[in-house]
């Protein structure tokens, strides 16, 4: 697994060096709008701690960090009114998943029918 890069864009957002559109937060996690939305609602939820990806987070994060991240995801979905219509959660880990930013993040997308999970392209 690649080492954590303190200069990744989400680390800069957490340090306040880059602006973001905050949706909600708690003491362990931050939710903000994706800059290139793929759906009417596209929010990224990240831990405030330094974790490269889901693999890193699931291995090293404390129970409190995990619970607060999960709770924030559910809260944001409710706040956006997506509970009834539905939404998709997605986290990319590593090269095959095309992870671009090496700070663990969960995509929350909704606000329109999202279609099948993966494109029809053959592997
Ligand atoms: P991933 O491919 O899972 O690593 O997704 C990275 C996501 O971060 C993409 O959807 C980008 O649009 C988003 N992103 C990159 N830079 C920013 C930024 N400064 N503010 C908000 N979202 C960003």
């Amino acid at each position: 697994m690649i080492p954590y890069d303190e200069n990744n864009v989400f680390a800069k957002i957490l340090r306040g060096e880059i602006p973001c559109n905050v949706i909600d937060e708690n003491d362990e996690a931050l939710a903000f709008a994706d800059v290139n939305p793929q759906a009417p609602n596209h929010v990224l939820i990240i831990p405030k701690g330094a974790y490269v990806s889901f693999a890193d987070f699931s291995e090293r994060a404390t129970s409190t960090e995990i619970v607060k991240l999960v709770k924030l995801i559910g809260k944001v979905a409710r706040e956006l009114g997506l509970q009834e219509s539905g939404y998709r959660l997605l986290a990319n880990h590593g090269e095959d998943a095309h992870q671009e930013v090496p700070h663990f993040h969960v995509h929350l997308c909704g606000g329109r029918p999202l279609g099948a999970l993966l494109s029809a392209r053959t592997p």
Side-chain angles (χ1 to χ4, degrees), residues 50-61:
Y51 298 99
V52 175
S53 69
F54 178 78
D56 190 18
F57 187 71
S58 61
E59 200 175 325
R60 294 195 302 111

Side-chain angles (χ1 to χ4, degrees), residues 18-114:
I18 290 178
C20 72
N21 180 4
V22 174
I23 307 295
D24 201 349
E25 67 181 311
N26 59 37
D27 50 348
E28 296 291 356
L30 175 69
F32 56 97
D34 194 295
V35 77
N36 183 23
Q38 304 298 306
N41 299 111
H42 187 169
V43 179
L44 300 171
I45 301 93
I46 68 173
K48 292 186 175 177
Y51 298 99
V52 175
S53 69
F54 178 78
D56 190 18
F57 187 71
S58 61
E59 200 175 325
R60 294 195 302 111
T62 65
S63 300
T64 302
E65 287 176 306
I66 293 169
V67 168
K68 295 245 171 152
L69 182 100
V70 171
K71 288 281 188 187
L72 186 61
I73 294 170
K75 183 166 179 255
V76 167
R78 287 192 300 278
E79 287 166 350
L80 293 174
L82 299 174
Q83 185 114 319
E84 296 305 317
S85 54
Y87 55 89
R88 178 169 293 156
L89 303 177
L90 187 150
N92 294 317
H93 162 70
E95 200 176 329
D96 277 0
H98 205 272
Q99 181 181 4
E100 288 178 355
V101 180
H103 181 113
F104 174 48
H105 50 284
V106 176
H107 297 257
L108 189 167
C109 294
R112 66 165 170 79
L114 296 169

